[in-house]
Amino acid sequence: MSLDHRLASEHEELRRTVEAFAHDVVAPRIGEFYENHAFPYDIVRQMGEMGLFGLPFPEEYGGMGGDYLALCIALEELARVDSSVAITLEAGVSLGAMPIHRYGTEEQKREWLPRLCSGEQLAAFGLTEPDCGSDAGGTRTTAVRDGDEWVINGTKCFITNSGTDITALITVTAVTGRNPDGSPRISTVIVPSDTPGLKVAAPYSKVGWNASDTRELSFADVRVPAANLLGEEGRGFAQFLRILDEGRIAISALATGLAQGCVDESVRYAHDRHAFGRPIGANQAIQFKIADMEMRAHTARTAWRDAASRLVAGEPFKKQAAMAKLYSSEVAVTNAREATQVHGGYGFMNEYPVARMWRDSKILEIGEGTSEVQRMLIARHLGLPGA
């Protein structure tokens, strides 16, 4: 396939629109939300009005009729300014609404997708548990069939968008039985946020992403209709693996945005900050540092666009998604560290965006598949022994 990843006119127009929104609306206000650990409802509402939550979904369900590449373009531009806003969109779309679009019945799609595409409501993806992070196959949450209902018990942790005032549902992975070989049969069930027995804990105190919503969920005899099963019973494991494969491209785009934002801020600071009678950007040590940051961000962008293009074209993309996620997340951490160094003491002050980027970057090497998991996946695709 072609490696020309220049954007088509409609994608470039979207990029410019989101870029302007990020700088004009998000940038002036997000610092206050971040420092107060407050969810930016008004910004999210405006993102919904722009159609960002509906980008990859069909118009018949309230979407914009775009593709996954469009979503990733928006994520990169948002993350150049702030990752909390970007992860709210990423989780709301690729983890929240996408499972319903991919695996839902026609009735489920028509019930939920229009509200999720508008941004009026958010959905969350309940996968991770306290005792099984990367080992998602070790799920302990159970869903037992009782007549026309599923009865759910268990705990989920680190769930984004799960406790906001506009959260509508959580899709929950749960063990619904055992396979002939004794392995757990994992399924996915839609749990509306107002279901009795669902307890949403207080927000976590986090290192970063402080303007996004992340909580622990517990399910105590939570009953939902049998019709809330998402997809086929026992296919939940395969379903969320597909969702995570796609999500890694989205996280790669977000990480690339953070890495590029570090370049943006460092170039600006290198012009404005003077030492010893001249701008610090005139020093070759600073020039080389920022040049390397730009090179890394550009390469990360090429990687995620390659993976996204393969996904959109219906071609195999799992290895490319793993490589993009691995590389871009590590690039984000490196660029955030280097941008902080360029800013010197001011880089340690929260009033400067690079301090926020530094705090936000580390989770990118952990969430939606750790760097170690990505290396395992790449090794497996290479056919290495034991992988």
Side-chain angles (χ1 to χ4, degrees), residues 53-65 97 100-102 104-119:
F53 286 93
L55 278 173
F57 301 116
E59 294 179 12
E60 64 181 301
Y61 301 117
M64 299 296 288
I100 295 176
H101 172 59
R102 293 277 186 223
T105 63
E106 187 65 23
E107 182 179 356
Q108 289 169 340
K109 292 177 183 179
R110 294 199 178 279
E111 178 181 2
W112 295 111
L113 285 181
R115 288 179 276 173
L116 300 178
C117 288
S118 70

Side-chain angles (χ1 to χ4, degrees), residues 151-154 196-199 218-223:
V151 183
I152 304 171
N153 286 278
L198 169 59
K199 182 179 179 181
S218 61
F219 303 83
D221 292 330
V222 170
R223 290 179 173 269

Side-chain angles (χ1 to χ4, degrees), residues 330-350:
E330 295 189 347
V331 160
V333 171
T334 300
N335 274 19
R337 183 183 66 247
E338 295 288 57
T340 303
Q341 192 72 18
V342 168
H343 281 67
Y346 290 107
F348 204 62
M349 300 296 110
N350 284 327

Side-chain angles (χ1 to χ4, degrees), residues 15-307:
R15 190 200 67 77
R16 291 179 179 178
T17 299
V18 180
E19 178 186 36
F21 173 79
H23 284 85
D24 297 343
V25 177
V26 179
R29 302 182 58 196
I30 196 61
E32 181 180 356
F33 288 106
Y34 196 93
E35 290 303 307
N36 292 324
H37 295 246
F39 189 78
Y41 286 101
D42 184 55
I43 292 176
V44 171
R45 177 187 58 77
Q46 292 180 70
M47 290 163 58
E49 293 173 349
M50 293 172 63
L52 299 188
F53 286 93
L55 278 173
F57 301 116
E59 294 179 12
E60 64 181 301
Y61 301 117
M64 299 296 288
D67 54 24
Y68 212 85
L69 176 62
L71 170 65
C72 293
I73 290 168
L75 289 171
E76 179 178 339
E77 291 304 320
L78 289 171
R80 286 178 69 172
V81 170
D82 178 69
S83 292
S84 292
V85 168
I87 195 59
T88 298
L89 176 63
E90 192 276 336
V93 176
S94 72
L95 297 181
M98 191 61 72
I100 295 176
H101 172 59
R102 293 277 186 223
Y103 306 111
T105 63
E106 187 65 23
E107 182 179 356
Q108 289 169 340
K109 292 177 183 179
R110 294 199 178 279
E111 178 181 2
W112 295 111
L113 285 181
R115 288 179 276 173
L116 300 178
C117 288
S118 70
E120 295 174 7
Q121 293 184 329
L122 296 174
F125 188 51
L127 171 63
T128 306
E129 299 188 1
D131 295 324
C132 55
S134 296
D135 180 19
T139 297
R140 296 185 179 181
T141 296
T142 60
V144 178
R145 185 70 179 265
D146 182 18
D148 292 332
E149 294 181 318
W150 291 104
V151 183
I152 304 171
N153 286 278
T155 303
K156 301 291 182 177
C157 60
F158 311 141
I159 309 303
T160 305
N161 292 345
S162 58
T164 73
D165 293 345
I166 57 175
T167 299
L169 66 98
I170 301 100
T171 55
V172 179
T173 55
V175 177
T176 54
R178 293 284 167 179
N179 295 311
D181 63 359
S183 61
R185 191 165 68 245
I186 298 176
S187 306
T188 308
V189 182
I190 298 172
V191 180
S193 59
D194 59 355
T195 305
L198 169 59
K199 182 179 179 181
V200 181
Y204 288 106
S205 175
K206 297 174 293 187
V207 171
W209 285 359
N210 287 335
S212 73
D213 179 79
T214 318
R215 305 182 190 232
E216 181 176 279
L217 305 174
S218 61
F219 303 83
D221 292 330
V222 170
R223 290 179 173 269
V224 299
N228 282 25
L229 181 71
L230 184 63
E232 300 178 36
E233 184 185 355
R235 293 290 297 168
F237 193 82
Q239 290 172 12
F240 71 66
L241 286 180
R242 166 71 188 212
I243 293 299
L244 291 179
D245 285 336
E246 296 179 2
R248 285 167 185 145
I249 304 175
I251 290 295
S252 178
L254 190 158
T256 300
L258 188 151
Q260 189 65 58
C262 290
V263 177
D264 299 341
E265 294 299 327
S266 296
V267 169
R268 184 178 301 113
Y269 189 80
H271 278 284
D272 296 343
R273 174 66 169 168
H274 285 67
F276 304 103
R278 62 177 185 171
I280 65 169
N283 298 316
Q284 198 172 67
I286 299 296
Q287 293 174 358
F288 284 8
K289 191 181 292 289
I290 297 176
D292 285 344
M293 291 164 62
E294 174 72 3
M295 175 185 65
R296 287 188 287 265
H298 173 80
T299 307
R301 182 175 302 108
T302 301
W304 81 249
R305 287 188 181 178
D306 176 50

